[in-house]
Amino acid sequence: KSRIIPVLKKLGDVAIGKITPNTVENYLTARKAEREKKPGQPDDQLRLELDALSATLAYVKKMKVIETNPTLGVSRPRGGTRARRWTPAEEGLLMQLSGGKVKALRKTARFMLLVRALVCRPGELQHARYADLDLERQTITLRDTKYKGETRTVPFSSVTKSLFMAVLEDELADFPGSPYIFSSRSRKKSEEKGGPVPYHYGTAIQNARTKYKALPKGLTAHIGRHEGASDLVEDSTLTMPQIMRLTGHHSAQVFEIYNHAEPVKFAPQIEAHEAHRQEDRIAAAASLAGIPLHVMRGLLFANRKPTDSEMATIKDKEPSSEVASRFIDLVNPRRAGPAKKKKKKVAGKKKP
């Protein structure tokens, strides 16, 4: 609703039935020109506006007011990159805030940490209800999700269960009659003023950043979802289809933003290949130094000084003996003993 109202205002008095692909294209062109004059707006803004218009027109089509959705023939503006990850310091900061004394910061940090743990969209956790949380089975059911309003049940760990219990302790005390796991006070006249509504997490994060100076710029709730999904791709044994079911992705194309993390799983194969590369490097070093391969291998792996016969073999390989000696120094660096202090001679005194 917050996104479609500005779009409809921009379209002016154009009747719904008169909106064509050209109308949408002209709207996007005008909005791009506006954005160039006012830099600093979110990269995804145009795409989200077009998505809101498309969803509205899809509903109008469903009600048989129009025959086709004119936005379907319009290419979507490219959104901003979502490759941003949490740094260890940022996650540590959220963990610290989640157990802090300031209740507002505690709540914001716990919300962001749960988004990461559940790899869910912030809006899905925002509308999650107590009735959908099963602490015994350690699952939460997310309803009316982004993809066709489908329901998705997500399991969570015992650590996440402890975090949920900490959340409930605060929330039940502050919002005893609320059906939501995370709640805010209503400020609208159309609702019961002061009554519980889904958590205003966007405002809360903004306050944590500007009012409390507690969060760094650029750290958002959605980054937690990206971090959680990337971590599953990198370090878990789950397959891509299994991870997509957990995250609620239904398109492999959309899930491609996590492809950057998948090669991390190849680390064992890369490490196994290192044994072959090690032999190649030893052979290359031995060839350069003019040292027999078995001698170089012995020097490297036995970490010993060359025998007299090996030194003789090395010296026979002139003019490479200088290079060979350099390799030997690298393998068996000479340990410098403690520097001897020179005694100062005192004038006028002779030895007895």
Side-chain angles (χ1 to χ4, degrees), residues 87-276:
T87 65
E90 287 172 339
E91 186 165 6
L93 173 62
L94 290 174
M95 291 169 64
Q96 183 183 30
L97 293 175
S98 70
K101 295 181 179 180
V102 181
K103 186 172 286 188
L105 294 178
R106 193 163 67 217
K107 183 172 182 173
T108 302
R110 288 171 178 174
F111 182 87
M112 297 175 76
L113 288 170
L114 282 172
V115 167
R116 186 208 185 283
L118 301 173
V119 287
C120 65
R121 298 176 181 88
E124 293 171 345
L125 181 59
Q126 176 191 30
H127 291 88
R129 297 170 176 256
Y130 291 118
D132 298 323
L133 179 64
D134 191 332
L135 291 175
E136 186 176 347
R137 294 179 58 201
Q138 294 182 195
T139 62
I140 184 170
T141 301
L142 305 172
R143 304 185 186 278
D144 195 23
T145 60
K146 183 178 179 181
Y147 184 77
K148 298 182 179 180
E150 287 187 354
T151 297
R152 185 171 85 255
T153 299
V154 180
F156 52 80
S157 68
S158 55
V159 174
T160 303
K161 176 182 177 179
S162 299
L163 186 55
F164 265 123
M165 292 176 71
V167 169
L168 297 185
E169 185 177 352
D170 279 356
E171 290 295 300
L172 290 174
D174 293 341
F175 300 90
S178 175
Y180 304 106
I181 298 174
F182 284 91
S183 302
S184 288
R185 300 286 178 193
S186 173
R187 298 189 296 268
K188 293 183 179 180
K189 294 180 181 179
S190 58
E191 300 170 349
E192 183 183 349
K193 195 170 183 181
V197 294
Y199 184 43
H200 299 146
Y201 69 89
T203 302
I205 293 173
Q206 183 67 18
N207 287 338
R209 185 179 299 118
T210 57
K211 179 180 177 181
Y212 295 99
K213 310 293 183 185
L215 292 182
K217 185 178 179 180
L219 185 61
T220 65
H222 193 89
I223 291 174
R225 169 175 164 83
H226 184 79
E227 176 64 29
S230 298
D231 185 49
L232 289 177
V233 172
E234 288 175 352
D235 296 328
S236 76
T237 57
L238 297 172
T239 64
M240 283 293 191
Q242 289 172 330
I243 296 174
M244 287 174 67
R245 289 181 65 185
L246 281 173
T247 60
H249 285 95
H250 289 261
S251 168
Q253 184 178 3
V254 174
F255 200 75
E256 284 179 359
I257 60 172
Y258 299 104
N259 284 353
H260 69 89
E262 189 176 15
V264 176
K265 283 190 172 182
F266 308 152
Q269 291 91 322
I270 297 298
E271 189 63 37
H273 181 68
E274 191 60 30
H276 301 287

